[in-house]
Structures are given as C-alpha cells and as structure tokens.
Amino acid sequence: LAIMTETPCVFVDVQRGGPSTGLPTLPGQADMMQARWGSHGDYEIIALCPDSPQECFDLTIEAFNFAEEYRVPVMFMMDECIGHMSERVSIPEPEKIKIVPRKYASLPPGEYKMYKPGKNLVPEMVKAGDGYNIHITGLTHDERGYPVITPECQDELVSRLVNKIRNNEEKIRMIHKDLKDDDEIVVISYGISSRVVTLAIDKARSEGLKVGHLRLIVVWPFPEQVIREIAGKAKALIVVEMNMGQAFREVERCAGGKAPVYLIPHAGGTVHDPMKVYDKIKEAVK
C-alpha cells in the first residue's frame, strides 16, 4: 500500500533466525529477499544494512532522506547483533545533519495532481490544511489519484514506480570498497557479516593473498553494474551472509559467469567463523 500510494516511510527489521519464531534472540540475515519481494506486484524499494551502532544513527537519517526524496518505503535491515550492540556513537550538531526536505506542491489547488511525476519521476506532495483536494487509493490510479482499472494505466503507473528507483540506482548506491585492481578474490558482505570477514581478509593479506572486500550498505536496489565490473577482473567472488543464499543469487546473476561465485551459508544463531571465510579464500585462490 505504501508503495502504491507513494507514502514516505521507514520500516526497521532487526533480523533473527527463522522461519516462524525460530531463534527469537539470536542473529540472522534471512529477511533480505522478503524485504525486496515481500509484497505482491511489481515494484522497487530501498533497503539499507548498517554494520555498527554509529551506522544505525547515520543510516537512519539516510533512510528517511531516501524515503522523502523518492516517495518510497525504505527498509532498515539490521540484525540482532547490531540491534543489541553497544558502542560509542558520535552525534553531530543538528545543523550539520543533512536533511532532505519534502517536495511540496509548486502548483496551486486546481492545477496540482497528486501523482503527476516531477523530477526523477517522483510526484510532489501537499500539506494537510493548505486547500488541496486529493484522492489516495491503493487501486491502480491516474495522475489525479482516481482509480483507472485498465492495463494501460497499470503499465504506465507501475513502470514509473519501478523506474524512479532503477533509474536512480547510482544516486542511491552506497557501498564500501576495499579493493585493489589486482585483487584475485573479492569477498562480498553486508551488516554484521562485514565485521567478521575483515578478520579473514586481514589474515589472508598477511600471507600475501590478493583479497578485496565489497561491503553493501544499500542492498536494494542492487549494485548490478559494480558486481559486473568486479566479476570481470576477479578470479572468484565469495558471498558471506547469515542465510542459505539470498544476496548470493543476485551476485551470481550479475557476475554472469565471468567469475565463479562461492557462498558461505549460515542459517543464523551466531556470526560466521572467520576461519571458514579464510579457508574459502584459500580454496578459491587455487
């Protein structure tokens, strides 16, 4: 409903091990595909994965900024470890925090249309009490917000809902690269898993292995072009996540056979053993 009505909002998911109640107090990362495809219909959303309490603060602000800028629900995908972690957090002065203002109507009542696309395919909004008559529905609708139940209207509307995110993926993209041009192995991770793999990468590098790290901060929309470029240079990619392979499938798809993609699966409950990551790096080098 929030996607169809283009309502800016942020949902926080502190992931645990499932299905069902599963491991209610232990970590997991198995909600990633639910975040991406948890509803019916075609759409695109934005999902961020912090790896520290500091990023919980910083990225929450980014999440609300994305929600406002693109009029879209944003998923904030923590995990139990991050959710219960205690670390020092630096909070800047309010005036130093970047806030994306809501885009309000530039046209007067009578000319304004609730879902007429503006810059980046995103419609402007209105303030309650300012004299605008608007209609909001979960049904397929035209630029006025009135239901128009036709395939033609559905195609036009859904294409815009999808493309306002896809077309702006480079602007939305947030990744951290610890890569060199001659890295043979690239480890890909997100969330708490990223803190674990650095231990394995440091050990491998100390032994002369050429290993890089790509941390996904924004997981959805997926940084497809970045993965393609890395796959074209690397000998192998290794995906580390606390599930049985969710982002892994996206990495494999984007790699397109240019480089083998290995998964280190983990159904949750604990973080990965860094030595298993190190062993997979050694295996991939051979």
Side-chain angles (χ1 to χ4, degrees), residues 108-262:
E111 297 180 32
Y112 170 78
K113 294 181 180 179
M114 182 66 179
Y115 295 106
K116 183 175 181 179
K119 183 181 178 182
N120 293 330
L121 300 179
V122 181
E124 297 174 335
M125 299 185 72
V126 296
K127 296 179 182 178
D130 276 3
Y132 290 85
N133 294 319
I134 61 174
H135 190 277
I136 299 174
T137 177
L139 294 169
T140 296
H141 50 268
D142 61 15
E143 291 182 351
R144 301 169 298 170
Y146 295 174
V148 178
I149 311 301
T150 66
E152 292 77 15
C153 185
Q154 171 75 357
D155 185 67
E156 181 178 351
L157 173 61
V158 173
S159 294
R160 184 176 63 77
L161 294 177
V162 168
N163 288 328
K164 72 177 182 179
I165 304 301
R166 286 186 182 173
N167 292 355
N168 292 292
E169 186 274 324
E170 286 190 44
K171 297 178 182 177
I172 299 168
R173 182 187 302 162
M174 295 178 70
I175 56 177
H176 180 264
K177 289 182 179 180
D178 182 11
L179 300 169
K180 295 180 180 178
D181 288 339
D182 62 345
D183 282 334
E184 296 181 343
I185 309 298
V186 176
V187 181
I188 300 172
S189 64
Y190 53 88
I192 190 64
S193 299
S194 299
R195 296 176 70 133
V196 174
V197 302
T198 55
L199 300 173
I201 292 171
D202 288 346
K203 178 174 174 57
R205 285 174 172 173
S206 70
E207 297 175 6
L209 301 181
K210 297 178 179 180
V211 185
H213 184 202
L214 175 68
R215 179 164 75 93
L216 307 181
I217 301 172
V218 169
V219 177
W220 310 123
F222 203 68
E224 298 185 10
Q225 185 59 38
V226 174
I227 301 297
R228 290 193 189 99
E229 291 174 359
I230 291 174
K233 298 177 181 178
K235 185 176 181 179
L237 308 179
I238 299 174
V239 180
V240 180
E241 51 184 343
M242 284 190 290
N243 56 53
M244 302 310 289
Q246 295 190 15
F248 162 74
R249 292 184 174 88
E250 286 295 283
V251 173
E252 195 172 45
R253 175 181 65 83
C254 296
K258 293 179 180 178
V261 183
Y262 299 96

Side-chain angles (χ1 to χ4, degrees), residues 28-78:
Q29 291 177 323
D31 300 351
M32 298 307 298
M33 278 298 174
Q34 184 189 34
R36 176 64 187 88
W37 294 115
S39 184
H40 68 294
D42 269 325
Y43 59 90
E44 291 277 348
I45 52 91
I46 300 172
L48 299 89
C49 290
D51 79 341
S52 67
Q54 181 67 57
E55 283 200 347
C56 287
F57 178 85
D58 297 336
L59 295 182
T60 296
I61 296 170
E62 292 296 335
F64 278 94
N65 284 343
F66 281 140
E68 292 290 349
E69 187 167 2
Y70 295 100
R71 281 191 66 172
V72 68
V74 175
M75 304 297 294
F76 197 79
M77 307 300 291
M78 300 164 66

